[in-house]
Amino acid sequence: MKNAIKKYTLLDYIRIPFKHAPLLCCVCFIQVIITAIIPTLQILVNANFINKTILYFNGRVEISAVRLQFAFVVLLIAYQWLSGIFISKQWLRIELRLLQTLRVQLLEKQARLEYKHMENPKIHDLISRVCGEPEKRFLQSLQLLMNSFSLIIRIIGVIAIILTHVWWAAIVILVFSLPMFYIAFKGSKNSYEVGKEVSQNKRRHEYLSQLLTGRDAADERSLFKYTDFVTEKWDKHYETARQLEFKTKKKWFIKLESSSVATAFVSIAIIAVLLNPVIVGEISFGIFASLIQACFSIVQIMSWDMNGYVDGLVIANEYIKEYTKFMQLSEENDVLTVPSSPFDFKLLELDNVSFKYPGTDTYILKNLSLKIENGKQYAFVGKNGAGKTTVVKLITGLYSSYEGSIRINGKDIRDFSHKELKSMYSAIFQDYARYGITMRENIRIGNINYEDDQLHINERLELLGLDDLAEKLPGGLDCVLGRMTEEGQDISGGQWQRIAIARSMVSVSPVKILDEPTAALDPVAESDIYQKFSHIMSNQTTIFISHRLGSTKLADIIYVFDDGKVIEQGTHQYLMDQKATYYEMYENQVGWYR
Amino acid sequence: MKRKSFIYIALKLFKISFSAAPIHYSIYIIFVILNGLSSAFLTLALQMFFDEIELGIKGKSITADIITMLILVGMVIVGSHIINGIDNFLSEALGEKVKRKYTEKIIEKSAQLDPILFESHEFLDTMNKAHSGMLNAYYFLGVSMVIFIYYLPYIIFMSIYLFNLNPMLALILLLAFIPTMLSQIIRTGIFSKMEDKVAPIRRTYWHYTDAICGISYFKETRLLGIYGFLKGKLVGTILRLQDATWDTQKKSRQLEAITKTLTLLGYGGVLILLVYAVLKQDISIGAFAAVFASIGTMFDTMNEAICIHINNASHSLGSVRNFVDFIEYPVIERPEYQISRNAGIVVENITFQYPGSSYKALDSVNFKISPGETIAIVGENGSGKTTLGRILVGLFDPTEGQVLLGGKNIADVNRDAAFEGVSAVFQKYQKYQMTLRDNVHISNTTFDTDENNIKDALSKSGLNITDQSFTDGLHTMLSREFDGVELSGGQWQRVAIARGYYRSHEIILLDEPTAAVDPIEESNIYRQFAELSKNKTAILITHRLGSTKLADRILVLSQGKLVESGTHEELMNQNKVYAQMYIAQSQWYE
């Protein structure tokens, strides 16, 4: 399912927050406008304050007039300083609201993505860039846009006041300011481009610094003493990156400084323009002084803050482009549902299936055919990379872009809904998941539709030797596992593996898939589990993937995979009699035990 | 370690930073001082300009002095902009050089550290904090310096100037900032206690997001159909996160409201004084206008110094302190001795506990290895095999007891010297994102770089270099990240073995080489290893009992204790732990 091609733009930084928190955004927007107008008012109020003070000095007004102006000055400053506090509260509210709405929406989109995107490293990178704290991005960019808007209003305010007194000043100002905007914008864009170039070098030296200081490489680093050798490489990459960055930054700074100096000249020009009017009395001294004050503060903002704004806008623009790309990623229909109630499974057939991973050229499966019948035990054996796990990914519906046909009970697998496919299988993968939830929940999720009492958890625990773990843990079965969350308790790899197996046991799915389910267990435990498997799985359809051939011996049919095809199939005895690949593999392993 | 003071840290950082680029740094300091002075000088220039304007208004003409003053003001403005720009640029450019120096220090120290420290959760935490501290350190130093060489000159200049106008003016300006200072101190105290509430909730929140759509959970979460279940948990955590964040921010806002009000009073006070002073004719109208125009800047500057810079610096003081602690971490020097590696290894009653744990990973283990012997160490998961391997190689010192190499206790010998003549292929061997050549050479970088030796090591490990995966032969980059090639599990394992073999050794360790490798590969690897270790003292750690046949002797560990030792036949006859394990594995092949 492809989304409508909607392009997101900078305007969406306004649209989206307003959609989720309309009232709060309006309040902030109003505040921004007021904050923008205040400086203009201040020019007038300050001017009055100065003028009244001079008049009182000359005995022309009462002290009360001065006091009044004084009050206005302080009032405006007070508003400026204190309203910021109130507003930051509203911004926080907006951020938290976006966390609840926007972030969760993006999460849901992520969860619905076609599986192929997750296994594509470039797209995976894109996803982490876009979905890492999006609410903060949107908020910051919204603030940026509002602040830029506010700055423009401020500038217009000052210019308006100047114009009411000296109309031709506008020309002078324009002449000096326009080039400056242009230079500032150009400079920012360039620095962003080079940033990307430098990042390749940066990643190199960051990787190398990990080798030099990180925990993973500590053993080899100490024993092999490679610090000097690797530091040399690190040094080289760091220097290259640094010098590249320096060159670009230098160019950028020069451009920036020239624009900043140009701004300073604008303010000199304004003062020069106002000289004659103040001398001859066309404008009061108060206005003259406070206009100069206002000009200075705008000049400050323009030269310091403006590059921050332009920088921010360029980055915001890049982000929104990536946001668009993300939103356009294809999704699966109806994929977030719970499994349906299990249906009557009879037969699964793969018929001349060929498959290569999207974006690659090598076919992993080449005209592969096999059958899975209800009630039988199957084993997939073969070298790593022969296609065993890939078949699992296809039959569970993770990928659908294969050639050939896959049918369940005679119906094409693509005609089944995800809901139905989920109810068909229960899979334990080699990289089984360790959820930071309670022990009970970690097992329950194997059959999310059932209630606890229907699952007979305690019996399974005993069977798998997990009952004393349950006793030892604080809170027993309701103890959160793993160090990933706040109060989680660490457990061993072997214990995690057994919990994954328990998950499969409570499931009522007709087809159980076990992909190297005992890698983390030691021989005695492993042997124990295998025995229990044959007992538990005896009436169920099982697909057992392993390259320890001893354990696959008991299957009804063994499929031998090689280079994307099934090259041999049959019972253990039959295959041994063939004296072909399977025989060779088996003899190789048995040899150790003779 | 005694808690290091702010001054100590600032000085230490300064020493390091300055040494990174002395000339650059000195120029930078000069510009910062100029920057501070020029901002202050603007007020004075403005006053002189306004005074001339006043005269001009009285005389109703634009005098030459007015023009002169206008030019002066212009120059000061333009000048201060240029100086400010150069200041910023120098600061950033310098930052990169300084960060490099800081990283060099961390790298240096990491190389000296005792490997056991990397097993301590506490220490790893400190190291992480030290890393973030390093990133903050330059900014931290910058702020500390800037207080003295930018803000201080500015304040001094302004105080003198104001004092000259009217002694009282200088006083109140200072008084207005004491409340800001005070509240910063209080805020820092409150804030450091607050942070901790939000961080753990954030971790839980991140985990749930990961569980829903992180790559390692994705397919399982989808197939189990538990999106709804996990989302429920996530939403609950978001609510808690919101509450905690809200609470934290509320307190800080309340504090800010109080500070700002106090500062406002100060501002009002300054204005009153100004008016008072001009009405009493103590200061000119020009001065009045100039100071009035500059008050805003003055207050902003002070606010920036205290509420922003000092605030941020005090936030990062904690992690910066960690950084300095780390690079000054004491390292015990041990003497260098020549050890004989041809006289076998004697393990005398060793016990080992990981840092922070009371559990004995190894308990009173005793055995001897004769020179040239191949020993297999077996046991269930958690029995202490890998730990024993690390101790035999010399990475860890036993908590009790000693390991003697040629009669010398390795714990008494300089670690680097102890590692000479010892090599290993670790269970979690590294896959270096470098060329094939470097991936092998890295184990013995002081050795002469003759390519033949590398090729020799590779062929002995069974890696076929002429295979088409190695597009550039030895110079093929092995990493998809940097436009290289992706190797299979078996190929990487062989590279790791070549690496181990390349390093000249009399003693070698091979720790469970079975991770991503299928059985045929596995057998070949074990057989190859046996070949390579014919004349060396070799230690093989495994839990695939078939491979123990290659060893001269087998040591069986269980829960940290050495429970059995002997040849395969002897142990099978004893019919205890080893025999049990063996039968458990082999029965599947009957």
Side-chain angles (χ1 to χ4, degrees), chain A residues 313-514:
Chain A
L313 282 176
V314 170
I315 293 176
N317 198 38
E318 290 302 314
Y319 176 80
I320 205 78
K321 280 199 237 162
E322 300 217 296
Y323 186 83
T324 306
K325 271 197 220 150
F326 169 75
M327 293 303 274
Q328 286 173 352
L329 290 175
S330 51
E331 303 172 11
E332 298 270 11
N333 282 333
D334 264 338
V335 79
L336 298 178
T337 54
V338 291
S340 66
S341 20
F343 56 85
D344 202 15
F345 166 72
K346 297 202 182 52
L347 176 68
L348 166 70
E349 299 167 278
L350 275 83
D351 200 354
N352 264 326
V353 172
S354 297
F355 175 76
K356 60 180 158 96
Y357 283 98
T360 65
D361 294 317
T362 343
Y363 273 87
I364 303 288
L365 301 179
K366 303 173 187 167
N367 288 336
L368 182 136
S369 300
L370 57 84
K371 267 205 269 240
I372 307 282
E373 284 171 25
N374 185 29
K376 295 213 176 121
Q377 329 256 294
Y378 294 85
F380 289 2
V381 302
K383 281 205 308 214
N384 279 354
K388 313 188 294 283
T389 309
T390 310
V391 167
V392 171
K393 289 187 185 162
L394 290 186
I395 62 178
T396 50
L398 288 174
Y399 285 96
S400 52
S401 59
Y402 54 85
E403 295 150 41
S405 141
I406 302 181
R407 297 184 293 271
I408 300 179
N409 293 355
K411 182 164 134 185
D412 191 308
I413 199 177
R414 291 185 256 233
D415 292 333
F416 282 86
S417 68
H418 280 281
K419 209 168 154 72
E420 291 172 306
L421 283 182
K422 286 183 204 194
S423 71
M424 214 179 87
Y425 305 98
S426 156
I428 310 178
F429 293 101
Q430 215 171 354
D431 53 350
Y432 57 84
R434 306 177 182 195
Y435 292 99
I437 52 185
T438 68
M439 188 166 164
R440 189 193 303 274
E441 288 169 333
N442 254 300
I443 299 175
R444 258 204 77 213
I445 55 179
N447 192 347
I448 196 78
N449 290 328
Y450 275 26
E451 294 301 322
D452 273 353
D453 44 353
Q454 298 170 284
L455 294 174
H456 310 293
I457 292 186
N458 288 317
E459 285 158 36
R460 324 276 188 190
L461 291 180
E462 247 191 82
L463 208 60
L464 290 168
L466 283 171
D467 40 349
D468 32 291
L469 175 66
E471 261 163 55
K472 268 194 253 168
L473 288 173
L477 284 178
D478 293 309
C479 177
V480 175
L481 302 179
R483 288 273 202 100
M484 299 80 78
T485 58
E486 303 154 77
E487 314 122 4
Q489 288 289 317
D490 226 354
I491 61 176
S492 74
Q495 287 162 331
W496 273 117
Q497 182 131 67
R498 277 180 246 216
I499 289 180
I501 296 172
R503 213 179 273 160
S504 175
M505 283 181 173
V506 304
S507 161
V508 291
S509 306
V511 180
K512 304 260 162 125
I513 303 174
L514 305 156

Side-chain angles (χ1 to χ4, degrees), chain B residues 454-470:
Chain B
I454 297 180
K455 286 195 184 144
D456 186 51
L458 284 169
S459 75
K460 287 215 162 77
S461 75
L463 187 70
N464 181 5
I465 326 174
T466 59
D467 184 275
Q468 57 184 2
S469 354
F470 300 110

